[in-house]
């Protein structure tokens, strides 16, 4: 396990220090300073939160254009006021069967209901903001058992590192985030955490301090579509506590 974690950290470090990535971050930072100053820095792993930004902006035209773009995309493609997708079968003959169409209609209603109960629309609005400004946007989703709802979270472009396969498709993702000791203890089983994290999560003076957490997703070499267990899924996922390499 330790060697696997070390290999993943080495792979992440190679993506992080790639010259192309470094050059892009410099461009992204310039865009950030002039168009989206509310975003944290692109050139710091642990940016200073709450600092004053926006001093470099002397003309609000680019900001207004980005807002127009975001609103236009949402209004025309993903508005909550109309149905913007429908489920179909690849077999057109089946679509002529009334019972099939009725069942697919119920599937549509179920999915739209799930989206309506989630935070999809405000998050996807910010997703278009990242795409329209730095040209790089990533959204995470997970199922919140307590709320019984899907949760969508936009990831800062700075934290996402991607790699492609031979077909030019993204198949590897590293997400470098910050998480408090308290959230770490809530999100992961105690026996998977370093003892210091468990200790600090119970310490009132430390539980809200943040540490670096790396989420890695890569193709699973043991993928088997005939099986349903986690070890046979198409992709493998790891959460790594960088400070303790755990």
């Amino acid at each position: 396990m330790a060697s696997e974690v070390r290999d993943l950290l080495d792979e992440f470090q190679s993506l992080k220090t790639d010259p192309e990535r470094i050059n892009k971050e410099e461009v992204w930072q310039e865009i950030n300073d002039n168009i989206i100053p509310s975003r944290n820095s692109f050139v710091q792993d642990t940016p200073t939160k709450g600092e004053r930004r926006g001093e470099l902006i002397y003309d609000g035209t680019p900001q207004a254009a980005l807002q127009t773009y975001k609103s236009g995309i949402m209004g025309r493609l993903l508005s909550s006021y109309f149905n913007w997708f429908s489920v179909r079968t690849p077999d057109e003959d089946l679509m002529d069967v009334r019972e099939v169409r009725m069942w697919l209609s119920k599937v549509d209603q179920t999915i739209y209901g799930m989206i309506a109960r989630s935070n999809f629309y405000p998050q996807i609005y910010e997703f278009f903001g990242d795409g329209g400004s730095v040209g790089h946007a990533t959204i995470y989703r997970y199922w919140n058992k307590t709320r019984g709802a899907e949760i969508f979270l936009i990831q800062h472009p700075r934290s996402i590192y991607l790699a492609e396969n031979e077909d030019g498709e993204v198949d590897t993702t590293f997400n470098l985030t910050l998480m408090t000791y308290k959230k770490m203890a809530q999100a992961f089983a105690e026996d998977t955490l370093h003892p210091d994290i468990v200790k600090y999560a119970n310490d009132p003076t430390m539980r809200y301090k943040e540490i670096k957490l790396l989420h890695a997703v890569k193709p699973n070499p043991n993928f088997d579509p005939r099986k349903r267990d986690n070890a046979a899924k198409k992709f493998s996922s790891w959460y790594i506590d960088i400070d303790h390499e755990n």
Side-chain angles (χ1 to χ4, degrees):
M1 180 64 179
S3 62
E4 185 178 45
V5 170
R6 186 68 259 167
D7 287 345
L8 288 168
L9 290 175
D10 288 343
E11 184 174 355
F12 164 68
Q13 190 64 25
S14 70
L15 290 174
K16 185 178 179 181
T17 57
D18 180 74
E20 181 181 0
R21 170 72 187 210
I22 294 174
N23 291 335
K24 285 183 177 180
E25 287 182 348
E26 292 177 355
V27 175
W28 291 345
Q29 184 61 51
E30 186 174 350
I31 294 171
N32 187 80
D33 291 339
N34 290 279
I35 301 180
I36 45 175
S38 58
R39 270 295 200 189
N40 287 330
S41 171
F42 279 79
V43 294
Q44 300 176 24
D45 287 342
T46 54
T48 304
K49 295 184 178 181
E51 64 180 348
R52 187 173 182 176
R53 306 186 184 99
E55 291 86 351
L56 297 178
I57 297 176
Y58 60 88
D59 182 358
T61 302
Q63 290 178 297
L66 180 61
Q67 293 301 319
T68 300
Y69 167 80
K70 291 161 61 177
S71 298
I73 291 289
M74 286 293 295
R76 292 179 179 273
L77 295 182
L78 293 175
S79 173
S80 60
Y81 294 103
F82 60 79
N83 293 346
W84 42 271
F85 73 86
S86 62
V87 179
R88 298 178 61 88
T89 70
D91 189 335
E92 292 298 328
D93 291 335
L94 280 177
M95 292 303 298
D96 293 331
V97 180
R98 181 175 180 274
E99 289 75 11
V100 172
R101 294 198 305 272
M102 291 179 62
W103 185 83
L104 292 176
S105 177
K106 291 182 179 179
V107 172
D108 286 348
Q109 294 173 18
T110 300
I111 297 176
Y112 278 116
M114 179 201 73
I115 292 175
R117 293 190 300 272
S118 74
N119 64 336
F120 173 80
Y121 288 109
Q123 287 293 294
I124 204 67
Y125 183 75
E126 298 305 324
F127 177 88
F128 289 130
D130 284 345
S133 55
V134 301
H136 177 56
T138 305
I139 189 168
Y140 265 39
R141 57 152 292 277
Y142 67 93
W143 177 257
N144 186 305
K145 294 181 180 179
T146 304
R147 293 177 52 185
E150 291 281 351
I151 302 297
F152 296 86
L153 295 174
I154 294 298
Q155 304 301 303
H156 195 297
R158 179 202 68 250
S159 69
I160 301 296
Y161 298 81
L162 307 174
E164 300 175 343
N165 60 20
E166 65 273 14
D167 296 322
E169 301 170 332
V170 173
D171 68 346
T172 299
T173 303
F174 288 90
N175 185 8
L176 179 63
T177 61
L178 296 174
M179 184 176 282
T180 63
Y181 290 112
K182 178 183 177 181
K183 289 182 178 179
M184 289 278 285
Q186 292 174 334
F188 303 100
E190 184 174 333
D191 60 353
T192 65
L193 297 172
H194 190 277
D196 286 349
I197 294 178
V198 178
K199 173 185 175 182
Y200 293 144
N202 294 311
D203 184 344
T205 65
M206 292 293 294
R207 61 177 53 138
Y208 296 110
K209 300 293 184 181
E210 293 180 323
I211 60 173
K212 294 178 182 179
L213 181 70
L214 182 66
H215 182 208
V217 179
K218 296 183 60 179
N220 180 10
N222 300 315
F223 170 56
D224 188 343
R226 299 168 298 178
K227 297 181 180 180
R228 293 183 177 273
D229 59 288
N230 290 338
K233 289 186 176 181
K234 189 172 184 179
F235 290 91
S236 297
S237 173
W238 301 264
Y239 284 92
I240 303 173
D241 166 15
I242 292 183
D243 292 344
H244 303 102
E245 294 192 9
N246 179 43

